[in-house]
Amino acid sequence: MSRFLTTLLLAAATSLPALLPAQSPAPAPSPAPTLLLTTQGEHFLKNGKPYQVLSGAIHYARVPRAYWHDRLRKARAMGLNTVETYVFWNLHEPSPGVFDFSGNLDVAEFVREAQQEGLDVILRPGPYVCAEWEAGGYPGWLFRDPLSTVRSQDPRFLAAVDRYLSRLAREVGNLQASHGGPIVAIQIENEYGSFGKDKVYMEAIHQSLVRAGLGDSLFYTSDGADQLPNDAFDQFLAVINYGPGEAKTEFAKLQKMHRPFPLMTGEYWDGWFDAWGNKAKVTTDAPKQAQEIAWILAQGYSFNLYMFHGGTSFGFMNGANFNEGPKGRYEPQTTSYDYDAALDEAGRPTPKYHFLRDVIQKHTGIAPPPLPTPIPVAATADIPLTESASLWDNLPAPIRASQPQPMEAYGQSYGYILYRTQLPAGPARTAHLAVGDVRDYAAIYVNHKAAGTLDRRLAQTSLDLSLPAATPGTPITLDILVENTGRVNFGPHLTDGRAGLITPVTLDHAPLSDWQVFPLPMDSPFILKGWTTNPVEGPAFHRGTLTLAGATTEKSAPPAKPDPKAPAPKPTPAGNPAATAAVIPDTFLDTRPLHKGFVWVNGHNLGRTWSIGPQFSLYLPGPWLRAGTNSVVAFDFDTLSTPTLKGSAEPIWATPSSATK
């Protein structure tokens, strides 16, 4: 590939109605004739004319499939011509050699729907993606072998990468522009220069992509301008990532490198993520960002907004950072990935959306398509969780172990794990329990009574236990219930993704042995027993029912701002979920009555709850609800007395005055 002329293909796309999954799928559009896009010096050219890539990030796994068309259509309505998405290895290969590209994981369908909405696609397959996602997208099973190292030249790791990318290519390889699809660019790795300097490793990932069949698109790398020398290829495009207020400085650095490629922002951080324990939700300055995007456009540069729509890290898929300061701090991210983006977590246009839409339209002179009909978001009636079932009554068969091992040693990647042993009888006393580097939150119980917690965020590794008197033959039961709160997704701590207990446990400095281990992946609302309406102490499941009579017209968002320059809106297709007469509104489940755990609704894991905030609600998409009865199950570490949940029309976040640490 010439250093001075890089060629890729863009597919012209047709626009088809959005359809709910329950309806018959629309016939696949015939591949449109491809249009040639080239680069010349610092500019993209399309059909021989200057062209700018105007892109925004949407992660398919963070958006319910029924809403993919809605979010993509809103990207077009803001004036974007491209959408960018990561591909999440850990979702698609949950165990070695076992792949899943169904339902909400059908990345190929997401790409096809982007094409139907007239959008090109930038694909970022990893294998590492960061994304504030669990382990940066690496499957938990990669950490099972202590002799293998992720993100390195380790042949065992690279063999796993080959298998994953080859399988991914079977899904999306024929959707590259050279085959008539919308994928115009593919990223090699992700921000590797912020992690290491191994160009041999980067070339190994490049060759793996080529072998897989993903080499027919424009290759590029993405990183901060200062880190580009660590990972950029001479022959490929390199784009830069930065935050608001840094555009002029970062582009000046890129220009000084005299790279013969277009100048582009790979990630313009138009918001930021939230972490558990923060005082309030992150918010940013939308007018200033719009001004900076206007400057970028005026220079003829291209951009990708990170994020256009953040969505939700459903289930246990949030990641964590590890602050590398003198007092290194583990910082798990919230379930909400709202990101203060142009579309909020429920997909509603924010003021930032309209600022950016106006800037793009002023620059291009093209009136964008109209916004689709708003999807309703509504409050619900109270949901009393009137029945409870103790965790102690719902444990699986134990695994015997002389010493506790990490979660991965037992074939588990996510959720919880319980370690149990017996302490010798004796008089009442205080004893010092040390567990080492807990991964990531542990609740300690003595004879099933709460005895304390250890939180990796606070670097807690030990505590004093009050042990009761016990006679021979009646030993004391010690339970350590550990939650994987999210593996580190960025920085050097990424390479050690073990969860659970990873070192021997001691009591008064003496090692404890002879353990029973109970894996608790919580991967589905398994059949529980022992339900009761009586109070239940300790960790337990709590259930109730949300009854919905049918549709409602209550909405929390006003209609979109009218655009006098836009063409008259077309009639909304009957298949559009926003226009379906009986559509069930989205809601935000108020979780303030809960302490720490997670919530299932109709078998969908909505994500984590934690009373430290700043997040105090969980996004509940309407397509996951049904008219009639809906099952709601919450798990919590702490004793709860008939908690009552309810749906809110708006998300609930801590304010600085109400947040707790």
Side-chain angles (χ1 to χ4, degrees):
M1 186 180 295
S2 168
R3 294 180 58 189
F4 295 93
L5 183 64
T6 303
T7 301
L8 69 152
L9 299 173
L10 286 177
T14 58
S15 178
L16 296 178
L19 296 175
L20 285 169
Q23 297 179 323
S24 300
S30 300
T34 54
L35 301 175
L36 192 65
L37 184 79
T38 62
T39 67
Q40 188 174 53
E42 295 184 349
H43 299 283
F44 289 108
L45 298 178
K46 189 174 184 180
N47 289 342
K49 298 178 181 179
Y51 182 80
Q52 289 174 283
V53 176
L54 312 180
S55 177
I58 308 173
H59 300 154
Y60 59 98
R62 283 175 158 142
V63 180
R65 178 171 175 156
Y67 288 160
W68 286 350
H69 266 300
D70 174 79
R71 307 315 193 242
L72 293 164
R73 193 164 295 167
K74 286 168 179 170
R76 288 287 291 125
M78 200 176 81
L80 301 181
N81 56 30
T82 306
V83 65
E84 171 262 296
T85 187
Y86 283 123
V87 182
F88 302 100
W89 182 5
N90 62 344
L91 292 183
H92 294 295
E93 193 177 4
S95 58
V98 177
F99 290 91
D100 186 0
F101 288 92
S102 64
N104 226 85
L105 303 184
D106 191 348
V107 59
E109 175 59 20
F110 178 81
V111 171
R112 285 189 290 267
E113 291 187 19
Q115 185 176 26
Q116 292 164 14
E117 296 298 340
L119 292 160
D120 298 317
V121 175
I122 296 172
L123 197 71
R124 305 173 77 182
Y128 165 76
V129 298
C130 187
E132 289 71 62
W133 191 263
E134 226 274 347
Y138 286 143
W141 51 261
L142 280 176
F143 304 103
R144 187 182 307 171
D145 183 354
L147 300 179
S148 182
T149 306
V150 301
R151 219 174 187 191
S152 76
Q153 295 183 48
D154 180 357
R156 288 159 293 197
F157 169 68
L158 292 178
V161 170
D162 266 350
R163 181 178 64 210
Y164 154 63
L165 291 177
S166 295
R167 182 62 184 84
L168 173 63
R170 286 166 51 187
E171 299 292 321
V172 300
N174 64 353
L175 293 173
Q176 295 174 91
S178 56
H179 301 273
I183 298 174
V184 297
I186 291 178
Q187 183 178 350
I188 303 173
E189 237 267 9
N190 178 59
E191 296 182 327
Y192 178 75
S194 298
F195 175 85
K197 301 179 181 180
D198 188 349
K199 292 291 186 70
V200 176
Y201 164 73
M202 286 293 291
E203 178 59 23
I205 299 300
H206 165 224
Q207 292 301 326
S208 186
L209 288 163
V210 172
R211 284 193 300 272
L214 296 173
D216 297 337
S217 301
L218 171 70
F219 278 135
Y220 77 101
T221 59
S222 176
D223 221 318
D226 293 331
Q227 288 74 40
L228 280 185
N230 296 337
D231 61 11
F233 293 80
D234 289 341
Q235 70 271 34
F236 298 136
L237 173 71
V239 301
I240 53 175
N241 304 343
Y242 56 85
E246 300 177 348
K248 292 181 180 179
T249 301
E250 295 303 296
F251 273 114
K253 293 178 183 178
L254 184 58
Q255 286 176 313
K256 288 181 180 179
M257 297 178 192
H258 302 293
R259 294 183 57 83
F261 294 106
L263 301 184
M264 178 173 174
T265 305
E267 292 184 9
Y268 179 82
W269 301 323
D270 60 348
W272 203 245
F273 55 87
D274 295 282
W276 288 112
N278 283 1
K279 292 182 177 180
K281 182 184 182 299
V282 172
T283 57
T284 56
D285 191 325
K288 286 187 177 180
Q289 290 175 18
Q291 291 172 10
E292 194 162 34
I293 292 296
W295 179 87
I296 292 170
L297 290 171
Q299 310 313 304
Y301 305 155
S302 295
F303 68 77
N304 175 57
L305 298 173
Y306 192 97
M307 300 289 297
F308 166 71
H309 172 47
T312 309
S313 302
F314 294 110
F316 301 133
M317 287 299 109
N318 67 283
N321 273 350
F322 200 96
N323 186 321
E324 297 298 332
K327 298 180 179 179
R329 178 183 171 94
Y330 167 78
E331 297 176 335
Q333 288 113 23
T334 60
T335 290
S336 172
Y337 201 61
D338 177 270
Y339 211 82
D340 193 40
L343 296 184
D344 74 1
E345 189 175 5
R348 297 172 294 188
T350 65
K352 183 177 296 183
Y353 180 98
H354 295 292
F355 281 125
L356 293 172
R357 190 178 196 231
D358 290 346
V359 162
I360 293 170
Q361 181 174 350
K362 182 178 180 181
H363 174 75
T364 63
I366 300 172
L371 278 161
T373 303
I375 293 172
V377 185
T380 72
D382 287 353
I383 312 167
L385 304 184
T386 56
E387 294 184 289
S388 300
S390 173
L391 176 67
W392 311 128
D393 295 333
N394 287 280
L395 297 176
I399 301 170
R400 294 282 181 177
S402 60
Q403 293 294 326
Q405 299 296 318
M407 187 180 282
E408 301 77 23
Y410 305 104
Q412 182 183 349
S413 293
Y414 313 110
Y416 298 71
I417 188 166
L418 177 68
Y419 302 90
R420 172 177 290 173
T421 191
Q422 305 295 327
L423 304 181
R429 65 194 189 278
T430 298
H432 187 71
L433 180 75
V435 302
D437 186 9
V438 65
R439 306 283 180 85
D440 303 293
Y441 182 91
I444 317 300
Y445 305 89
V446 174
N447 290 339
H448 294 177
K449 303 292 184 183
T453 60
L454 297 172
D455 187 345
R456 188 182 182 190
R457 292 181 319 115
L458 306 178
Q460 295 171 335
T461 61
S462 64
L463 77 165
D464 290 331
L465 296 179
S466 295
L467 301 180
T471 58
T474 57
I476 301 166
T477 298
L478 173 68
D479 285 303
I480 305 177
L481 178 60
V482 183
E483 178 193 68
N484 166 12
T485 310
R487 290 183 177 87
V488 173
N489 61 260
F490 184 83
H493 288 269
L494 168 78
T495 59
D496 183 2
R498 293 175 295 170
L501 297 182
I502 64 171
T503 57
V505 178
T506 64
L507 189 71
D508 288 337
H509 308 292
L512 294 174
S513 59
D514 191 16
W515 291 81
Q516 292 179 304
V517 182
F518 303 85
L520 299 165
M522 306 289 197
D523 49 5
S524 65
F526 46 85
I527 303 300
L528 299 169
K529 60 185 180 181
W531 289 104
T532 177
T533 56
N534 296 323
V536 171
E537 290 190 13
F541 303 88
H542 308 272
R543 74 179 179 187
T545 299
L546 170 61
T547 302
L548 298 174
T552 176
T553 58
E554 179 181 355
K555 295 187 287 289
S556 64
K561 184 174 69 173
D563 186 347
K565 297 181 181 179
K570 299 177 181 179
T572 306
N576 187 337
T580 304
V583 68
I584 295 177
D586 297 344
T587 194
F588 289 90
L589 205 61
D590 184 345
T591 61
R592 285 177 291 186
L594 307 176
H595 171 58
K596 182 166 180 56
F598 64 96
V599 177
W600 280 310
V601 174
N602 292 337
H604 295 278
N605 187 336
L606 302 187
R608 304 183 192 275
T609 64
W610 202 349
S611 58
I612 64 173
Q615 182 181 352
F616 290 110
S617 60
L618 288 169
Y619 173 56
L620 174 51
W624 292 0
L625 294 168
R626 53 181 175 255
T629 60
N630 296 270
S631 171
V632 180
V633 177
F635 174 78
D636 206 287
F637 276 98
D638 285 8
T639 300
L640 301 177
S641 179
T642 315
T644 296
L645 309 181
K646 61 182 176 181
S648 167
E650 294 294 335
I652 302 168
W653 292 89
T655 59
S657 60
S658 65
T660 59
K661 264 302 202 185

